[in-house]
Amino acid sequence: DVKVTQSSRYLVKRTGEKVFLECVQDMDHENMFWYRQDPGLGLRLIYFSYDVKMKEKGDIPEGYSVSREKKERFSLILESASTNQTSMYLCASSLWGTSGTGELFFGEGSRLTVL
Amino acid sequence: AQSVTQLDSQVPVFEEAPVELRCNYSSSVSVYLFWYVQYPNQGLQLLLKYLSGSTLVKGINGFEAEFNKSQTSFHLRKPSVHISDTAEYFCAVRRRSGGYQKVTFGTGTKLQVIP
């Protein structure tokens, strides 16, 4: 089974702190994604990556950056956390192109609270 | 552009009763369709998917969905729900071709099964 592991389930940070959210997948998937989940808004795509060192902005990239130095690892970075970034963050991975249908495999989520 | 509408944010239903969760989508091209389920404090997992062929798709845990192209709908159904089905359900679409195929999610429907 595909396993997507997010390093922290719960984090509490202060405004202005730098925050790292780590995600690792073990199925050699090309694509990796970071979503933000808020009540009533569903899942919104922050950034995605289709290859090592490649990244593309999603729908709400402002205030976030990402890093993909290795195929299995995709990090989300909040350079200066703000209270409006309090949310659930979900990492996902998928196969690319005709070898996959785009089915997403999700981690268990990281719930971030910014005080 | 593509979009997904889940009109019902919450659906309460008594145990052993049938349920239907509604999903309508909009897209200018052909799409794949998905339903994901999220149990409390967990990530999302795939419930079922429509790729092609039969418009009635069966998934895990006794759920099924029917693709209706003319009505651009992909409603999820279960003939008899259990307490363990209490969760949030997300409909999603992804276009079939054309570079990176972004997955768009609906805002979710919370299914509450009442004993």
Side-chain angles (χ1 to χ4, degrees):
Chain A
D1 284 348
V2 174
K3 191 164 179 64
V4 179
T5 303
Q6 294 183 230
S7 56
S8 304
R9 291 294 307 276
Y10 301 94
L11 302 94
V12 179
K13 299 292 182 180
R14 296 200 177 277
T15 301
E17 281 191 83
K18 191 169 185 176
V19 182
F20 292 89
L21 299 179
E22 304 282 337
C23 175
V24 177
Q25 51 98 0
D26 65 359
M27 282 300 291
D28 203 36
H29 284 172
E30 296 90 349
N31 298 329
M32 295 189 75
F33 309 82
W34 277 106
Y35 285 89
R36 172 175 171 161
Q37 182 182 11
D38 299 288
L41 297 178
L43 277 72
R44 294 179 291 167
L45 182 63
I46 304 171
Y47 268 96
F48 68 95
S49 168
Y50 53 88
D51 202 351
V52 175
K53 297 191 184 296
M54 306 302 289
K55 60 184 180 183
E56 293 286 343
K57 293 180 180 179
D59 299 319
I60 52 165
E62 298 79 16
Y64 303 94
S65 62
V66 290
S67 171
R68 194 165 180 203
E69 297 296 320
K70 294 184 178 181
K71 191 174 185 179
E72 68 271 18
R73 187 181 297 270
F74 192 36
S75 302
L76 180 69
I77 303 154
L78 288 67
E79 293 288 342
S80 178
S82 63
T83 55
N84 62 13
Q85 293 178 309
T86 291
S87 187
M88 170 71 90
Y89 292 88
L90 293 166
C91 176
S93 70
S94 76
L95 287 170
W96 175 253
T98 55
S99 57
T101 59
E103 173 188 344
L104 296 171
F105 296 85
F106 284 87
E108 293 196 323
S110 298
R111 185 168 294 280
L112 172 66
T113 300
V114 183
L115 301 175
Chain B
Q2 57 199 33
S3 65
V4 179
T5 301
Q6 294 180 248
L7 288 171
D8 304 307
S9 60
Q10 295 191 58
V11 173
V13 62
F14 286 104
E15 192 174 14
E16 298 184 5
V19 69
E20 178 180 84
L21 305 184
R22 296 180 294 168
C23 172
N24 289 89
Y25 70 94
S26 173
S27 176
S28 56
V29 298
S30 295
V31 295
Y32 296 129
L33 294 154
F34 306 86
W35 274 100
Y36 288 86
V37 59
Q38 184 180 34
Y39 298 105
N41 298 315
Q42 294 186 24
L44 281 70
Q45 64 184 81
L46 184 70
L47 201 57
L48 50 78
K49 58 188 176 186
Y50 173 75
L51 306 179
S52 63
S54 173
T55 57
L56 184 63
V57 179
K58 293 191 183 297
I60 62 172
N61 300 337
F63 283 92
E64 63 182 30
E66 186 158 19
F67 170 56
N68 187 319
K69 188 174 182 179
S70 62
Q71 296 187 4
T72 60
S73 67
F74 190 53
H75 301 332
L76 181 70
R77 300 186 183 100
K78 187 170 183 178
S80 176
V81 296
H82 302 288
I83 293 290
S84 59
D85 293 324
T86 295
E88 190 160 17
Y89 294 79
F90 292 91
C91 183
V93 299
R94 171 185 178 257
R95 66 178 185 174
R96 290 173 178 266
S97 62
Y100 166 66
Q101 295 95 31
K102 175 184 173 182
V103 177
T104 300
F105 286 85
T107 52
T109 298
K110 289 186 177 179
L111 175 63
Q112 181 186 6
V113 180
I114 304 163

